[in-house]
Amino acid sequence: MAATLFEKIWANHEINPELIYIDLHLLHEVTSAQAFEGLRLAGRRPRRPEKSLATVDHNLPTNHPRSIADILDPLSRKQVETLEANCREYGIPLLSIDSGQRGIVHMIGPELGLTQPGMTIVCGDSHTSSHGALGALAYGIGTSEVEHVLATQTLVARKMPTMRINYLGRRRQGTTAKDCILYTIGELGSDGMSGHFVEYAGPVIAQMSIEERLTICNMSIEAGARAGAVSPDQTTVDYLRERIPVDEETAARWIALASDPDAEFASELTIEVDEITPMVTWGTTPSQVLPVSGIIPEPSNESEQRAIEYMGLEPGQALTSLKIDEVFIGSCTNGRLSDLREAAAIVRGEQVAKSVRARVVPGSETVRRHAEAEGLDQVFIAAGFEWRSAGCSSCLGMADPIAAGRRVASTSNRNFEGRQGRGARSHLMSPAMAALAAIRGRLAIPDASVSGVEPKPKPKRYYLPMLSAKIGR
């Protein structure tokens, strides 16, 4: 019987109709403390500690800290200290401050080869859907569920309805994966994928790199999806072979997980990408988005009216008239090496506008090292950017918040009120568009020289034997 990727993964992990086995459990310092305390109060220990991996990312300063002593904020320091203590007590592998492989939790799984096709992956963070780019069933869970997974290596869950979005046509020069997913969210609305496992497919997705697919899957949650994924293919296999040993039998098994040609989905949609141009959000949800050449619409409901007021906009105002105060390039959406290359190609030989504060925050320390080896840090520094260490940073405004009233061009995934700092005004866009905004000092339409297309990264070995040898059912 024909089956979808989701159905195949679910069948391989279903214990009963409401319980599934979890292959990989990712933890960070913000959402795990209460779960560990729950274990402690119940007198329980993690059932399979080797199936978990913890890192510090959300509330860690990105001013190149080398130890806990370098964390000046008492809350941040306490959260990191607590995570380290819990991991020591319960034998959970941890990539902490002094680890050269730490980074945003959704960055390190793929780049270390821990995220693999057919796996079930959970984390106390909504953007866990990123991992679906490698053909996994991955989604965010709450703190009580974090405790349950630690204690049992299982999760109470029910099957999700499936949706397939087929991307057809040919991308224009300068149209990135970020533009494609922002356009899709704008078309479907903030609840257009509500509760679904969304599989992205079609020739456009097939031609995307894993880095681009990660961006697409990362933002699935912004249209209400439970999880997003791409069926594994040769691109998936090649990506993982650059990081871990993969034999032919394993590769064949992974590719066989792809949705069968005649598999049925609860719903299917088609996106024609031919006319998608660089996109920018104007409001306070990712669904409030327009081409950068657009104008602020007349509000059609109370939500849009509130968004216009919060963002300090006027109906009929051109997006290109908006001056930018801050630029943030980073996050689990766009903090990969390919993203930094994309931005560096725009700023090389240019200067950040005097009125703009611009920051580049690599998504992991591995990305930071490789970017520095290529000289990308010097390109950004010469242009007037701040070059930071890895972390979530200004994406959610815990470690590096944007001040109230400041307008920021951001490569992150959310533009909710206060998301990047209390009163901050966020416009989401691709790394190329954010870099261009830094140089121009305003939102700008890219010219023909801004391609947004980067060469495929050379193979790098990210193999982490301590962990990857233990991943799997």
Side-chain angles (χ1 to χ4, degrees):
M1 182 178 177
T4 64
L5 168 66
F6 171 78
E7 290 167 336
K8 294 177 183 182
I9 297 175
W10 191 273
N12 288 338
H13 293 80
E14 185 179 47
I15 297 170
N16 64 49
E18 295 187 353
L19 194 69
I20 59 173
Y21 181 83
I22 299 301
D23 292 313
L24 177 60
H25 185 197
L26 299 167
L27 301 151
H28 58 84
E29 77 277 16
V30 174
T31 61
S32 63
Q34 186 176 342
F36 280 112
E37 185 61 19
L39 283 184
R40 193 172 290 112
L41 292 173
R44 306 186 71 171
R45 297 189 65 83
R47 181 168 182 263
R48 300 290 300 276
E50 75 278 9
K51 301 291 186 182
S52 294
L53 172 64
T55 191
V56 289
D57 58 359
H58 277 60
N59 209 6
L60 187 71
T62 60
N63 58 348
H64 305 278
R66 296 185 178 182
S67 69
I68 291 178
D70 293 328
I71 304 176
L72 301 182
D73 179 75
L75 174 60
S76 301
R77 185 168 59 251
K78 180 64 175 178
Q79 287 179 329
V80 174
E81 289 173 340
T82 299
L83 180 63
E84 290 197 342
N86 284 327
C87 288
R88 282 195 303 270
E89 180 178 352
Y90 292 113
I92 302 286
L94 170 66
L95 303 180
S96 195
I97 296 177
D98 58 353
S99 170
Q101 293 174 311
R102 71 167 173 83
I104 303 175
V105 68
H106 310 311
M107 293 279 295
I108 60 176
E111 75 181 14
L112 294 175
L114 302 178
T115 300
Q116 298 169 15
M119 293 178 68
T120 51
I121 302 172
V122 293
C123 175
D125 186 279
S126 60
H127 293 102
T128 307
S129 57
S130 303
H131 302 263
L134 285 94
L137 168 55
Y139 57 98
I141 58 177
T143 299
S144 62
E145 292 173 306
V146 171
E147 180 184 344
H148 188 278
V149 176
L150 284 169
T152 68
Q153 206 56 41
T154 67
L155 179 68
V156 176
R158 293 185 178 182
K159 293 184 75 171
M160 312 164 193
T162 56
M163 174 186 291
R164 180 161 62 185
I165 302 179
N166 297 292
Y167 288 79
L168 306 179
R170 184 175 181 178
R171 280 192 284 171
R172 289 184 173 192
Q173 184 180 31
T175 297
T176 68
K178 184 68 165 287
D179 299 312
C180 290
I181 191 60
L182 283 174
Y183 175 87
T184 302
I185 296 168
E187 288 292 297
L188 298 183
S190 58
D191 60 354
M193 304 178 190
S194 184
H196 284 68
F197 175 94
V198 179
E199 181 173 335
Y200 300 97
V204 176
I205 296 296
Q207 293 167 7
M208 285 186 177
S209 67
I210 294 298
E211 287 84 358
E212 291 175 306
R213 298 176 189 183
L214 285 161
T215 295
I216 295 280
C217 291
N218 175 274
M219 293 196 67
S220 302
I221 192 69
E222 309 309 334
R226 193 76 176 96
V230 177
S231 276
D233 57 12
Q234 192 59 47
T235 299
T236 315
V237 173
D238 293 343
Y239 176 90
L240 287 167
R241 276 183 169 151
E242 293 171 1
R243 289 154 175 80
I244 59 173
V246 179
D247 58 34
E248 290 301 324
E249 181 180 353
T250 299
R253 176 169 53 83
W254 285 347
I255 291 176
L257 289 167
S259 292
D260 296 325
D262 53 346
E264 295 185 359
F265 292 79
S267 59
E268 289 206 55
L269 303 171
T270 297
I271 299 290
E272 300 283 351
V273 304
D274 303 71
E275 299 305 314
I276 298 178
T277 57
M279 307 292 290
V280 173
T281 60
W282 60 267
T284 53
T285 77
S287 64
Q288 293 172 334
V289 64
L290 290 167
V292 68
S293 58
I295 61 172
I296 306 303
E298 291 285 344
S300 61
N301 53 52
E302 185 177 343
S303 174
E304 290 186 354
Q305 179 62 45
R306 179 180 174 88
I308 285 173
E309 292 173 359
Y310 178 84
M311 294 295 290
L313 303 172
E314 295 289 339
Q317 188 175 10
L319 282 171
T320 53
S321 71
L322 299 181
K323 294 182 178 180
I324 294 297
D325 303 305
E326 308 243 3
V327 170
F328 168 66
I329 297 175
S331 82
C332 59
T333 314
N334 285 122
R336 288 172 283 278
L337 185 59
S338 57
D339 298 313
L340 303 193
R341 287 170 170 162
E342 180 183 307
I346 304 302
V347 306
R348 183 174 279 108
E350 303 285 351
Q351 283 291 308
V352 172
K354 292 182 179 179
S355 59
V356 174
R357 180 191 183 187
R359 282 175 278 188
V360 177
V361 185
S364 72
E365 285 298 279
T366 300
V367 169
R368 181 187 61 78
R369 286 196 309 276
H370 286 299
E372 290 176 354
E374 293 184 12
L376 300 184
D377 61 323
Q378 295 306 310
V379 172
F380 287 116
I381 292 170
F385 282 80
E386 297 175 27
W387 179 253
R388 314 286 286 193
S389 56
C392 293
S393 187
S394 299
C395 175
L396 73 166
M398 293 181 74
D400 302 309
I402 306 297
R406 301 277 283 177
R407 194 175 300 281
V408 54
S410 177
T411 67
S412 53
N413 42 48
R414 284 186 176 157
N415 54 334
F416 300 166
E417 290 188 20
R419 167 72 179 185
Q420 295 196 270
R422 188 183 297 273
R425 295 166 170 168
S426 307
H427 296 274
L428 307 181
M429 63 197 73
S430 71
M433 288 292 292
L436 188 62
I439 301 304
R440 303 281 179 84
R442 58 180 174 80
L443 298 182
I445 299 173
D447 57 32
S449 65
V450 180
S451 69
V453 177
E454 286 297 306
K456 183 178 179 180
K458 295 180 180 179
K460 300 288 194 303
R461 299 296 282 181
Y462 296 83
Y463 188 34
L464 188 61
M466 176 188 70
L467 296 169
S468 59
K470 298 178 180 178
I471 297 302
R473 193 166 183 178

